[in-house]
Amino acid sequence: MRIVLGVAGGIAAYKACHVVRELRERGHAVRVVPTRAALEFVGAATWEALSGQPVATGVFTRVDEVEHVRIGQDADLVVIAPATADLLARVRAGIADDLLTATVLTTTAPVVVAPAMHTEMWFNAATVDNVAALRARGVTVIEPASGRLTGADSGPGRLPEPGDIVAAALAVHAEHARAGGDASGALAGRTVLVSAGGTREPLDPVRFLGNRSSGKQGVALAAAAAQAGAQVRLVAANVSADILAGLPAGVDVEHVETTAELEAACRAAQPTADVVIMCAAVSDYRPAEVAAHKMKKSRDAGMRLELVQNPDILRGLVDSRTPGQLIVGFAAETGSPDAGIEELARAKLLRKGCDLLVLNDVSAGQAFGTETNTVVLFHRDGDSVTEVARASGTKAEVSRDVIAGLVSVLSR
Ligand code: CTP
């Protein structure tokens, strides 16, 4: 699962390092969002090294990816440890002037807060009032421990031990998932094979023919299938480590580069899969020959490349599908003067013979490497094609809707 760990500026910030470590050891992806004050206690390098993810404090980083909104939207759980009196007040007031408070304001995931401060601050009427207001809104505020504080004083206000914070936070998440009746469990006992990314065809030892697929949508689908209880095998074609970091524990990842490798990996995993989702952008052609040494340019002349066609992997999987297996294709369409994208998608679903097709509008560069997507899910029954779902939002949200649509078809 994707967990945001907010860290406010208190001396107990160092204990949050152990929270990151423990969550990661349990297989969760952790994005640390410290406040500026927190970085006075523990530096960004420490958080980045422990979490394996970038660290920012302000709302003006990665503006093109709308990060101040996306981090909260993509989170499955938000934990703030330690939370200072100041942070509790700002969250209570709905202030969003830094990345952490903006994240708390945008998330729909459960929020668990572990305060740490001096006893006087904890018992101050303002803090008592803020804590009560947050609890009334559904935020879980863990009681601070009692004991030695920063100075010579002691009393309630100590940050609970990292193991206790982790246990409490995971329990809150589990409870939330049960109560929400989300897709959890809908794919329990099923195996889902997902391909993601884009294949590359080498021209020589340093060059390749490739495409612009980042793998984000396929990884989000793999995550959504795992969250729905499936055993997931992800065949990742050239997907970067930071994108794969968003996967929940237990997803089995196989890395491939070329179309031939992708085909072999998918063929090998197909027999045990209940659902196959071909999300990867496959290079339709490859160079007829791969140069053993780096190709050198000739002075004046241009260059001609001879390409041969790659197999259609999806078509091959459809031909060797096992009884009851559901096969899902993707259609990345831009439309043409003669045909709209939905018309092209319906025709592609019939041509490819898969059961479901996810139409992805890639006109004007939409979809590639971006955080959001708009898709339409079509189902084929014989020669008739019907629309099952329409989804728009972050790739995580779209994936949950696609998985829900797929589950509805599976249970027909
Ligand atoms: N696909 C595949 N093998 C290929 C090409 C595509 O398995 N050689 C799969 C993709 O993973 C996707 C679906 O086929 O699930 C549609 O891919 P797309 O590139 O949109 O379609 P094409 O088959 O290339 O059709 P066209 O060139 O007509 O758009």
Side-chain angles (χ1 to χ4, degrees):
M1 120 171 108
R2 292 175 195 229
I3 301 177
V4 170
L5 177 66
V7 184
I11 186 76
Y14 77 92
K15 283 194 185 173
C17 297
H18 297 284
V19 175
V20 182
R21 176 158 284 170
E22 192 153 330
L23 288 172
R24 290 209 68 197
E25 276 168 4
R26 289 172 185 241
H28 302 292
V30 182
R31 174 76 195 248
V32 181
V33 183
T35 61
R36 267 180 287 276
L39 294 183
E40 298 285 333
F41 294 93
V42 179
T46 302
W47 300 122
E48 288 186 350
L50 287 174
S51 68
Q53 298 205 40
V55 161
T57 58
V59 290
F60 292 108
T61 45
R62 300 206 188 180
V63 175
D64 56 329
E65 294 180 10
V66 204
E67 197 172 52
H68 68 291
V69 173
R70 187 180 53 80
I71 294 176
Q73 285 175 335
D74 285 353
D76 299 304
L77 173 67
V78 175
V79 183
I80 306 176
T84 55
D86 173 71
L87 189 84
L88 292 175
R90 291 198 295 134
V91 171
R92 190 252 169 111
I95 290 170
D97 62 351
D98 64 7
L99 196 56
L100 178 54
T101 49
T103 296
V104 175
L105 212 53
T106 48
T107 194
T108 53
V111 178
V112 179
V113 176
M117 61 196 75
H118 283 277
T119 306
E120 294 84 344
M121 289 186 176
W122 177 244
F123 286 130
N124 184 284
T127 307
V128 170
D129 194 32
N130 290 333
V131 168
L134 290 172
R135 283 182 172 153
R137 281 180 216 160
V139 173
T140 302
V141 182
I142 301 174
E143 280 298 313
S146 221
R148 177 87 194 274
L149 301 171
T150 321
D153 48 347
S154 72
R158 234 173 103 88
L159 188 71
E161 289 311 308
D164 296 337
I165 295 172
V166 169
L170 296 180
V172 168
H173 177 265
E175 182 52 39
H176 183 84
R178 273 194 297 277
D182 52 22
S184 309
L187 290 177
R190 310 256 194 185
T191 301
V192 176
L193 166 65
V194 183
S195 72
T199 59
R200 291 178 181 173
E201 304 297 346
L203 284 159
D204 69 11
V206 295
R207 303 181 179 94
F208 58 82
L209 291 177
N211 60 67
R212 296 171 59 187
S213 176
S214 65
K216 282 181 185 165
Q217 183 64 74
V219 166
L221 276 164
Q227 273 150 11
Q231 176 66 43
V232 180
R233 178 163 193 91
L234 176 70
V235 182
N238 308 297
V239 181
S240 67
D242 62 321
I243 290 174
L244 290 172
L247 283 171
V251 173
D252 193 7
V253 183
E254 180 171 356
H255 294 271
V256 297
E257 184 186 358
T258 63
T259 302
E261 289 168 7
L262 178 67
E263 183 179 33
C266 290
R267 290 293 195 131
Q270 179 180 26
T272 53
D274 297 293
V275 179
V276 177
I277 305 177
M278 272 300 292
C279 186
V282 184
S283 174
D284 286 321
Y285 294 91
R286 67 178 185 281
E289 276 174 33
V290 182
H293 303 287
K294 185 182 171 192
M295 295 191 289
K296 295 288 180 192
K297 62 176 175 290
S298 56
R299 199 149 294 160
D300 311 312
M303 175 188 263
R304 278 182 178 278
L305 283 176
E306 194 188 332
L307 303 177
V308 291
Q309 210 171 83
N310 273 326
D312 185 327
I313 302 174
L314 180 58
R315 201 50 269 177
L317 294 171
V318 165
D319 289 343
S320 56
R321 65 143 68 86
T322 58
Q325 188 174 60
L326 205 64
I327 302 189
V328 187
F330 263 71
E333 303 291 354
T334 60
S336 73
D338 308 326
I341 55 171
E342 294 194 19
E343 195 183 328
L344 290 171
R346 285 170 180 269
K348 187 170 283 184
L349 178 51
L350 291 172
R351 195 168 67 243
K352 297 249 181 186
C354 47
D355 305 289
L356 288 155
L357 190 101
V358 182
L359 164 65
N360 203 347
D361 182 354
V362 291
S363 54
Q366 284 178 62
F368 290 113
T370 59
E371 294 308 324
T372 56
N373 227 350
T374 301
V375 304
V376 188
L377 182 64
F378 293 104
H379 177 233
R380 181 189 64 82
D381 192 1
D383 288 339
S384 96
V385 174
T386 49
E387 183 183 315
V388 180
R390 227 163 240 273
S392 190
T394 64
K395 288 182 177 177
E397 288 166 345
V398 163
S399 299
R400 284 195 279 270
D401 290 346
V402 168
I403 295 296
L406 186 153
V407 165
S408 75
V409 171
L410 263 179
S411 52
R412 276 179 194 176

